[in-house]
């Protein structure tokens, strides 16, 4: 039997590559779902039309984690909106670093009634007002974490604003506001923490949970 030629091997490789696009949409979406949000948006969605359709399956976008310091912040915002749109209201988990803005939080809140987790790191373009509007529109939130978000934590977040968060999110179980140094965790505030199972608050002032 003759050994396969380079041409034969190339044809086999091409055929195998074509097989990926011929997979049922659900199966292909399951494969693509192993990638992160940015890889799906920037790589998988551009392979071919079939991959693009698979990359739009809403189930892939229930969880969105977007962190990449090499990408322009506004570009990340735009891609986050695409991810939210593709979730078709099924987004439950959103995490972003640096690029998130008040306008993006509003976009998420308006389209994500099932949102349960929000994690923000070093998002200087998020304000108390933008954050408050998010929690007001997302009563299903169970976990909130803010780190190094100077315009929400640090010098601005007060006991009254934290009380607003607690009132707006009755299902809250996990709260991380370690950088909110304006908080005074007194007995009055502590009494409102009944339903929270895990909490990180600043240790500089008042009582510690």
């Amino acid at each position: 039997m003759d050994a396969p030629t380079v041409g034969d091997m190339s044809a086999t490789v091409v055929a195998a590559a074509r097989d990926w696009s011929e997979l049922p949409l659900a199966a292909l979406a399951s494969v693509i779902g192993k990638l992160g949000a940015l890889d799906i948006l920037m790589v998988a969605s551009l392979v071919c039309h079939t991959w693009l359709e698979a990359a739009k399956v809403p189930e892939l976008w229930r969880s969105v984690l977007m962190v990449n310091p090499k990408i322009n912040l506004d570009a990340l915002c735009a891609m986050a909106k695409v991810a939210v749109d593709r979730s078709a209201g099924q987004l439950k988990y959103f995490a972003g670093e640096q690029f998130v803005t008040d306008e993006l939080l509003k976009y998420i809140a308006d389209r994500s009634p099932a949102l349960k987790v929000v994690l923000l790191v070093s998002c200087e373009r998020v304000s108390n007002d933008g954050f408050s509007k998010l929690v007001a529109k997302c009563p299903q939130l169970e976990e909130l974490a803010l780190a190094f978000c100077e315009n929400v934590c640090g010098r601005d977040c007060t006991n009254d604003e934290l009380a607003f968060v607690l009132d707006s999110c009755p299902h809250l179980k996990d709260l991380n506001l370690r950088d909110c140094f304006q908080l005074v965790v007194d007995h009055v505030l502590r009494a409102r923490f009944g339903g929270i199972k895990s909490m990180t608050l600043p240790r500089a002032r008042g009582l510690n949970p």
Side-chain angles (χ1 to χ4, degrees):
M1 181 176 180
D2 295 336
T5 65
V6 173
D8 292 334
M9 295 176 66
S10 298
T12 300
V13 171
V14 171
R18 287 175 179 168
D19 287 342
W20 281 98
S21 65
E22 294 170 1
L23 284 173
L25 192 64
L28 186 54
S30 179
V31 173
I32 292 175
K34 305 296 183 183
L35 302 173
L38 289 175
D39 286 332
I40 295 176
L41 289 168
M42 300 177 66
V43 180
S45 295
L46 305 180
V47 171
C48 64
H49 178 74
T50 303
W51 280 53
L52 174 60
E53 291 305 306
K56 292 180 179 179
V57 172
E59 287 75 13
L60 296 184
W61 302 99
R62 290 174 178 169
S63 176
V64 174
L65 167 62
M66 301 187 76
V67 178
N68 191 323
K70 296 181 180 180
I71 300 177
N72 176 272
L73 299 185
D74 291 333
L76 283 170
C77 269
M79 285 190 282
K81 290 180 179 180
V82 173
V84 172
D85 290 341
R86 290 186 181 183
S87 76
Q90 297 187 34
L91 180 65
K92 293 184 178 181
Y93 175 105
F94 179 82
E97 183 173 348
Q98 295 187 338
F99 70 91
V100 182
T101 65
D102 283 352
E103 193 270 337
L104 177 58
L105 288 185
K106 182 179 185 303
Y107 194 90
I108 293 171
D110 288 343
R111 294 162 177 80
S112 308
L115 189 63
K116 292 186 176 182
V117 179
V118 173
L119 310 178
L120 303 178
V121 178
S122 300
C123 294
E124 297 181 357
R125 300 193 292 177
V126 172
S127 69
N128 270 340
D129 182 61
F131 179 71
S132 296
K133 289 178 179 177
L134 170 77
V135 298
K137 290 186 176 182
C138 299
Q140 300 303 315
L141 281 170
E142 296 181 0
E143 181 178 351
L144 282 172
L146 300 173
F148 310 113
C149 298
E150 294 183 358
N151 295 319
V152 180
C153 303
R155 62 181 180 271
D156 289 331
C157 189
T158 65
N159 283 34
D160 288 342
E161 287 162 339
L162 177 55
F164 173 79
V165 170
L166 297 173
D167 290 340
S168 300
C169 305
H171 304 290
L172 200 61
K173 298 177 182 178
D174 193 321
L175 180 65
N176 186 333
L177 299 174
R178 69 179 68 199
D179 299 321
C180 298
F181 296 110
Q182 288 293 336
L183 295 175
V184 179
V185 188
D186 54 21
H187 292 286
V188 175
L189 189 59
R190 181 188 283 269
R192 306 178 71 111
F193 296 156
I196 298 179
K197 297 180 179 179
S198 176
M199 179 167 49
T200 304
L201 293 172
R203 296 182 177 276
R205 305 175 66 186
L207 302 173
N208 293 312

